[in-house]
Short mmCIF file of all heavy atoms in Angstrom, two decimals:
data_model
loop_
_atom_site.label_atom_id
_atom_site.label_comp_id
_atom_site.label_asym_id
_atom_site.label_seq_id
_atom_site.Cartn_x
_atom_site.Cartn_y
_atom_site.Cartn_z
N ASN F 1 92.52 121.04 76.34
CA ASN F 1 92.76 120.37 75.05
C ASN F 1 94.14 119.80 75.01
O ASN F 1 95.00 120.25 74.30
CB ASN F 1 92.56 121.37 74.02
CG ASN F 1 91.19 121.99 73.98
OD1 ASN F 1 90.22 121.23 73.88
ND2 ASN F 1 91.00 123.31 73.90
N GLN F 2 94.37 118.65 75.69
CA GLN F 2 95.64 118.06 75.70
C GLN F 2 95.91 117.10 74.55
O GLN F 2 97.09 116.95 74.15
CB GLN F 2 95.85 117.15 76.97
CG GLN F 2 96.24 117.87 78.26
CD GLN F 2 97.64 118.32 78.14
OE1 GLN F 2 98.54 117.72 77.58
NE2 GLN F 2 97.94 119.32 78.97
N ALA F 3 94.89 116.82 73.80
CA ALA F 3 95.06 115.96 72.57
C ALA F 3 93.80 116.09 71.75
O ALA F 3 92.77 116.13 72.20
CB ALA F 3 95.42 114.41 72.99
N PHE F 4 94.09 115.90 70.38
CA PHE F 4 93.08 115.84 69.50
C PHE F 4 93.42 115.04 68.25
O PHE F 4 94.54 114.79 67.94
CB PHE F 4 92.53 117.24 68.99
CG PHE F 4 93.50 118.05 68.11
CD1 PHE F 4 93.55 117.81 66.78
CD2 PHE F 4 94.42 118.87 68.59
CE1 PHE F 4 94.44 118.42 65.85
CE2 PHE F 4 95.42 119.52 67.87
CZ PHE F 4 95.33 119.33 66.53
N ARG F 5 92.46 114.56 67.51
CA ARG F 5 92.63 113.86 66.20
C ARG F 5 91.85 114.58 65.20
O ARG F 5 90.80 115.09 65.35
CB ARG F 5 92.16 112.42 66.33
CG ARG F 5 92.44 111.56 65.10
CD ARG F 5 91.90 110.22 65.21
NE ARG F 5 90.49 110.05 65.34
CZ ARG F 5 89.72 109.61 66.46
NH1 ARG F 5 90.39 109.39 67.43
NH2 ARG F 5 88.50 109.69 66.28
N TYR F 6 92.47 114.63 63.93
CA TYR F 6 91.65 115.26 62.95
C TYR F 6 91.71 114.41 61.72
O TYR F 6 92.82 113.94 61.20
CB TYR F 6 92.39 116.67 62.54
CG TYR F 6 91.52 117.55 61.58
CD1 TYR F 6 90.55 118.39 62.02
CD2 TYR F 6 91.90 117.48 60.14
CE1 TYR F 6 89.96 119.10 61.14
CE2 TYR F 6 91.24 118.25 59.31
CZ TYR F 6 90.18 119.13 59.71
OH TYR F 6 89.52 119.85 58.81
N ASN F 7 90.63 114.21 61.06
CA ASN F 7 90.54 113.39 59.81
C ASN F 7 91.23 112.03 59.89
O ASN F 7 91.55 111.44 58.83
CB ASN F 7 91.26 114.08 58.58
CG ASN F 7 90.28 115.05 57.93
OD1 ASN F 7 89.14 115.32 58.40
ND2 ASN F 7 90.66 115.64 56.78
N ASN F 8 91.32 111.51 61.01
CA ASN F 8 91.81 110.10 61.35
C ASN F 8 93.23 109.92 60.88
O ASN F 8 93.68 108.77 60.87
CB ASN F 8 90.78 109.01 60.72
CG ASN F 8 89.57 108.94 61.35
OD1 ASN F 8 89.47 109.20 62.54
ND2 ASN F 8 88.51 108.84 60.52
N HIS F 9 93.94 110.97 60.69
CA HIS F 9 95.43 110.79 60.38
C HIS F 9 96.37 111.90 60.75
O HIS F 9 97.56 111.76 60.62
CB HIS F 9 95.61 110.61 58.83
CG HIS F 9 95.41 111.82 58.02
ND1 HIS F 9 96.33 112.76 57.72
CD2 HIS F 9 94.18 112.49 57.63
CE1 HIS F 9 95.80 113.78 56.99
NE2 HIS F 9 94.48 113.55 57.01
N MET F 10 95.72 112.78 61.60
CA MET F 10 96.41 113.91 62.18
C MET F 10 96.14 114.05 63.74
O MET F 10 95.01 113.88 63.99
CB MET F 10 96.08 115.29 61.55
CG MET F 10 96.17 115.22 60.03
SD MET F 10 95.78 116.83 59.23
CE MET F 10 97.30 117.54 59.09
N TRP F 11 97.26 114.19 64.47
CA TRP F 11 97.12 114.17 65.94
C TRP F 11 97.87 115.44 66.53
O TRP F 11 99.01 115.80 65.96
CB TRP F 11 97.52 112.94 66.52
CG TRP F 11 96.81 111.71 66.45
CD1 TRP F 11 95.74 111.28 67.27
CD2 TRP F 11 96.73 110.84 65.39
NE1 TRP F 11 95.14 110.21 66.73
CE2 TRP F 11 95.85 109.83 65.64
CE3 TRP F 11 97.62 110.66 64.20
CZ2 TRP F 11 95.67 108.78 64.64
CZ3 TRP F 11 97.33 109.67 63.43
CH2 TRP F 11 96.38 108.72 63.55
N GLY F 12 97.24 115.97 67.48
CA GLY F 12 97.87 117.01 68.32
C GLY F 12 98.03 116.48 69.76
O GLY F 12 97.07 116.18 70.27
N LEU F 13 99.27 116.59 70.39
CA LEU F 13 99.51 116.22 71.72
C LEU F 13 100.10 117.44 72.46
O LEU F 13 101.29 117.82 71.99
CB LEU F 13 100.45 115.06 71.85
CG LEU F 13 99.97 113.72 71.21
CD1 LEU F 13 101.03 112.53 71.45
CD2 LEU F 13 98.56 113.20 71.72
N GLN F 14 99.59 117.95 73.46
CA GLN F 14 100.16 119.11 74.06
C GLN F 14 101.25 118.65 75.00
O GLN F 14 102.29 119.30 75.28
CB GLN F 14 99.15 119.78 74.96
CG GLN F 14 99.64 121.04 75.76
CD GLN F 14 100.32 121.97 74.87
OE1 GLN F 14 99.69 122.76 74.16
NE2 GLN F 14 101.66 122.16 74.86
N PHE F 15 101.22 117.42 75.55
CA PHE F 15 102.26 116.87 76.31
C PHE F 15 103.42 116.33 75.44
O PHE F 15 103.25 116.08 74.27
CB PHE F 15 101.83 115.75 77.30
CG PHE F 15 101.15 114.65 76.65
CD1 PHE F 15 101.79 113.45 76.28
CD2 PHE F 15 99.71 114.61 76.28
CE1 PHE F 15 101.20 112.28 75.71
CE2 PHE F 15 99.10 113.56 75.72
CZ PHE F 15 99.90 112.36 75.46
N HIS F 16 104.53 116.12 76.12
CA HIS F 16 105.70 115.57 75.36
C HIS F 16 105.89 114.05 75.66
O HIS F 16 106.48 113.72 76.57
CB HIS F 16 106.95 116.32 75.89
CG HIS F 16 107.10 117.70 75.28
ND1 HIS F 16 107.73 117.97 74.12
CD2 HIS F 16 106.86 118.81 75.95
CE1 HIS F 16 107.82 119.37 74.04
NE2 HIS F 16 107.23 119.96 75.01
N PRO F 17 105.51 113.23 74.60
CA PRO F 17 105.74 111.80 74.92
C PRO F 17 107.24 111.43 74.70
O PRO F 17 107.59 110.35 75.20
CB PRO F 17 104.92 111.15 73.68
CG PRO F 17 104.88 112.19 72.69
CD PRO F 17 104.81 113.53 73.45
N GLU F 18 108.13 112.39 74.25
CA GLU F 18 109.47 112.03 74.04
C GLU F 18 110.32 112.54 75.15
O GLU F 18 111.63 112.09 75.27
CB GLU F 18 109.99 112.63 72.65
CG GLU F 18 110.39 114.08 72.82
CD GLU F 18 109.20 115.01 72.76
OE1 GLU F 18 107.94 114.61 73.06
OE2 GLU F 18 109.44 116.18 72.38
N PHE F 19 109.85 113.24 76.12
CA PHE F 19 110.56 113.76 77.18
C PHE F 19 110.65 112.77 78.43
O PHE F 19 109.73 111.99 78.64
CB PHE F 19 109.95 115.08 77.67
CG PHE F 19 110.32 116.28 77.01
CD1 PHE F 19 110.99 116.24 75.70
CD2 PHE F 19 110.07 117.54 77.40
CE1 PHE F 19 111.37 117.36 75.06
CE2 PHE F 19 110.42 118.74 76.71
CZ PHE F 19 111.04 118.57 75.60
N ASP F 20 111.71 112.95 79.23
CA ASP F 20 111.86 112.12 80.48
C ASP F 20 111.92 113.14 81.59
O ASP F 20 111.92 114.51 81.47
CB ASP F 20 112.96 111.22 80.37
CG ASP F 20 114.36 111.79 80.21
OD1 ASP F 20 114.54 113.02 80.33
OD2 ASP F 20 115.19 111.17 79.84
N VAL F 21 112.23 112.74 82.84
CA VAL F 21 112.21 113.56 83.93
C VAL F 21 113.43 114.61 83.96
O VAL F 21 113.26 115.74 84.29
CB VAL F 21 112.33 112.74 85.22
CG1 VAL F 21 112.72 113.59 86.49
CG2 VAL F 21 110.97 112.17 85.55
N GLU F 22 114.59 114.08 83.51
CA GLU F 22 115.75 115.01 83.31
C GLU F 22 115.49 116.18 82.50
O GLU F 22 115.78 117.30 82.89
CB GLU F 22 116.96 114.20 82.74
CG GLU F 22 118.23 115.07 82.75
CD GLU F 22 119.30 114.23 82.12
OE1 GLU F 22 119.14 113.12 81.53
OE2 GLU F 22 120.50 114.77 82.21
N ILE F 23 114.79 116.01 81.31
CA ILE F 23 114.47 117.09 80.45
C ILE F 23 113.51 117.94 81.01
O ILE F 23 113.56 119.21 80.94
CB ILE F 23 114.06 116.47 79.10
CG1 ILE F 23 115.24 115.77 78.34
CG2 ILE F 23 113.64 117.67 78.16
CD1 ILE F 23 114.84 115.04 77.10
N THR F 24 112.48 117.43 81.55
CA THR F 24 111.34 118.24 82.18
C THR F 24 112.00 119.14 83.33
O THR F 24 111.73 120.24 83.47
CB THR F 24 110.23 117.37 82.80
OG1 THR F 24 109.73 116.55 81.65
CG2 THR F 24 109.18 118.16 83.44
N HIS F 25 112.92 118.51 84.20
CA HIS F 25 113.60 119.22 85.22
C HIS F 25 114.31 120.47 84.66
O HIS F 25 114.35 121.59 85.23
CB HIS F 25 114.46 118.40 85.91
CG HIS F 25 113.92 117.60 87.00
ND1 HIS F 25 114.71 116.76 87.80
CD2 HIS F 25 112.66 117.46 87.43
CE1 HIS F 25 113.86 116.09 88.54
NE2 HIS F 25 112.66 116.55 88.47
N ALA F 26 115.01 120.22 83.47
CA ALA F 26 115.73 121.41 82.90
C ALA F 26 114.82 122.47 82.45
O ALA F 26 115.13 123.66 82.59
CB ALA F 26 116.44 120.87 81.77
N TYR F 27 113.64 122.08 82.01
CA TYR F 27 112.73 123.21 81.55
C TYR F 27 112.05 123.88 82.80
O TYR F 27 111.77 125.11 82.71
CB TYR F 27 111.50 122.50 80.59
CG TYR F 27 112.12 122.60 79.22
CD1 TYR F 27 112.60 121.50 78.62
CD2 TYR F 27 111.84 123.70 78.38
CE1 TYR F 27 113.03 121.44 77.32
CE2 TYR F 27 112.20 123.71 77.22
CZ TYR F 27 112.73 122.68 76.57
OH TYR F 27 113.30 122.67 75.20
N ILE F 28 111.85 123.14 83.97
CA ILE F 28 111.38 123.90 85.06
C ILE F 28 112.35 124.92 85.53
O ILE F 28 112.05 126.00 85.92
CB ILE F 28 110.98 122.80 86.12
CG1 ILE F 28 109.84 122.08 85.80
CG2 ILE F 28 110.74 123.59 87.41
CD1 ILE F 28 109.49 120.74 86.61
N ASP F 29 113.67 124.50 85.49
CA ASP F 29 114.90 125.43 86.01
C ASP F 29 114.82 126.60 84.95
O ASP F 29 115.07 127.85 85.41
CB ASP F 29 116.04 124.68 85.94
CG ASP F 29 116.22 123.68 87.05
OD1 ASP F 29 115.48 123.96 88.10
OD2 ASP F 29 116.95 122.75 87.06
N LEU F 30 114.60 126.32 83.68
CA LEU F 30 114.67 127.40 82.72
C LEU F 30 113.72 128.55 82.98
O LEU F 30 113.98 129.76 82.75
CB LEU F 30 114.47 126.87 81.36
CG LEU F 30 114.53 127.77 80.10
CD1 LEU F 30 116.05 128.26 79.91
CD2 LEU F 30 113.99 127.23 78.88
N VAL F 31 112.42 128.15 83.42
CA VAL F 31 111.41 129.17 83.67
C VAL F 31 111.13 129.37 85.03
O VAL F 31 110.04 129.91 85.43
CB VAL F 31 110.21 128.87 82.91
CG1 VAL F 31 110.52 128.89 81.34
CG2 VAL F 31 109.65 127.53 83.23
N ARG F 32 111.97 129.03 86.02
CA ARG F 32 111.52 128.97 87.49
C ARG F 32 111.02 130.31 87.91
O ARG F 32 110.16 130.35 88.79
CB ARG F 32 112.65 128.42 88.36
CG ARG F 32 113.91 129.14 88.42
CD ARG F 32 114.87 128.60 89.54
NE ARG F 32 114.91 127.08 89.49
CZ ARG F 32 114.61 126.31 90.74
NH1 ARG F 32 113.97 127.03 91.75
NH2 ARG F 32 114.66 125.04 90.78
N ARG F 33 111.65 131.40 87.49
CA ARG F 33 111.27 132.71 88.01
C ARG F 33 109.89 133.14 87.60
O ARG F 33 109.16 133.80 88.24
CB ARG F 33 112.31 133.72 87.64
CG ARG F 33 112.30 134.18 86.19
CD ARG F 33 113.26 135.36 86.05
NE ARG F 33 113.41 135.85 84.66
CZ ARG F 33 114.07 135.45 83.72
NH1 ARG F 33 114.84 134.41 83.92
NH2 ARG F 33 114.08 135.98 82.47
N TYR F 34 109.49 132.65 86.39
CA TYR F 34 108.20 132.93 85.93
C TYR F 34 107.10 131.98 86.65
O TYR F 34 105.95 132.51 87.01
CB TYR F 34 108.08 132.66 84.33
CG TYR F 34 108.95 133.56 83.57
CD1 TYR F 34 110.10 132.87 82.95
CD2 TYR F 34 108.74 134.84 83.38
CE1 TYR F 34 110.90 133.77 82.16
CE2 TYR F 34 109.69 135.71 82.67
CZ TYR F 34 110.66 135.07 82.05
OH TYR F 34 111.55 135.88 81.33
N LEU F 35 107.43 130.83 86.89
CA LEU F 35 106.62 129.92 87.57
C LEU F 35 106.41 130.50 89.03
O LEU F 35 105.24 130.53 89.55
CB LEU F 35 107.13 128.55 87.76
CG LEU F 35 107.27 127.70 86.49
CD1 LEU F 35 108.27 126.56 86.61
CD2 LEU F 35 105.84 127.35 86.04
N SER F 36 107.51 131.09 89.68
CA SER F 36 107.27 131.53 90.99
C SER F 36 106.43 132.77 91.05
O SER F 36 105.64 133.06 91.97
CB SER F 36 108.74 131.95 91.58
OG SER F 36 109.50 130.87 91.67
N LYS F 37 106.62 133.66 89.93
CA LYS F 37 105.67 134.77 89.83
C LYS F 37 104.25 134.51 89.74
O LYS F 37 103.35 135.16 90.21
CB LYS F 37 106.03 135.60 88.63
CG LYS F 37 107.32 136.45 88.87
CD LYS F 37 107.65 137.28 87.62
CE LYS F 37 108.98 138.07 87.89
NZ LYS F 37 109.35 138.88 86.65
N GLU F 38 103.99 133.27 89.28
CA GLU F 38 102.53 132.70 89.08
C GLU F 38 102.05 132.08 90.36
O GLU F 38 100.97 131.54 90.43
CB GLU F 38 102.46 131.84 87.97
CG GLU F 38 102.64 132.42 86.61
CD GLU F 38 102.43 131.48 85.53
OE1 GLU F 38 102.28 130.32 85.64
OE2 GLU F 38 102.55 132.04 84.18
N GLY F 39 102.99 132.02 91.37
CA GLY F 39 102.45 131.31 92.61
C GLY F 39 102.89 129.70 92.63
O GLY F 39 102.40 129.15 93.53
N GLN F 40 103.58 129.33 91.63
CA GLN F 40 103.97 127.89 91.56
C GLN F 40 105.37 127.72 92.24
O GLN F 40 106.26 128.59 92.03
CB GLN F 40 103.90 127.38 90.16
CG GLN F 40 102.54 127.55 89.53
CD GLN F 40 102.53 126.77 88.06
OE1 GLN F 40 102.60 125.51 88.09
NE2 GLN F 40 102.33 127.49 86.95
N ASP F 41 105.61 126.65 92.90
CA ASP F 41 106.80 126.35 93.55
C ASP F 41 107.68 125.33 92.61
O ASP F 41 107.28 124.21 92.43
CB ASP F 41 106.55 125.69 94.86
CG ASP F 41 107.93 125.50 95.71
OD1 ASP F 41 108.90 125.32 95.06
OD2 ASP F 41 107.87 125.56 96.88
#
């Protein structure tokens, strides 16, 4: 469920349209130990 519309005037987006690579990198670094525990590199 990455995106939905409701009543033709409300939207939900799970992804971040406002983020760029630099910001996404910072978030990966923030949770890297949790990602590693889940088997993600």
Side-chain angles (χ1 to χ4, degrees):
N1 297 312
Q2 278 287 337
F4 71 86
R5 182 181 69 247
Y6 189 88
N7 275 10
N8 293 320
H9 68 97
M10 309 179 94
W11 287 267
L13 303 177
Q14 182 57 72
F15 59 94
H16 283 274
E18 81 282 20
F19 277 11
D20 58 18
V21 166
E22 180 183 13
I23 296 173
T24 303
H25 279 180
Y27 271 94
I28 293 172
D29 287 336
L30 183 69
V31 300
R32 61 169 46 241
R33 72 177 184 273
Y34 300 109
L35 292 167
S36 296
K37 286 181 179 179
E38 292 180 359
Q40 302 191 63
D41 187 325

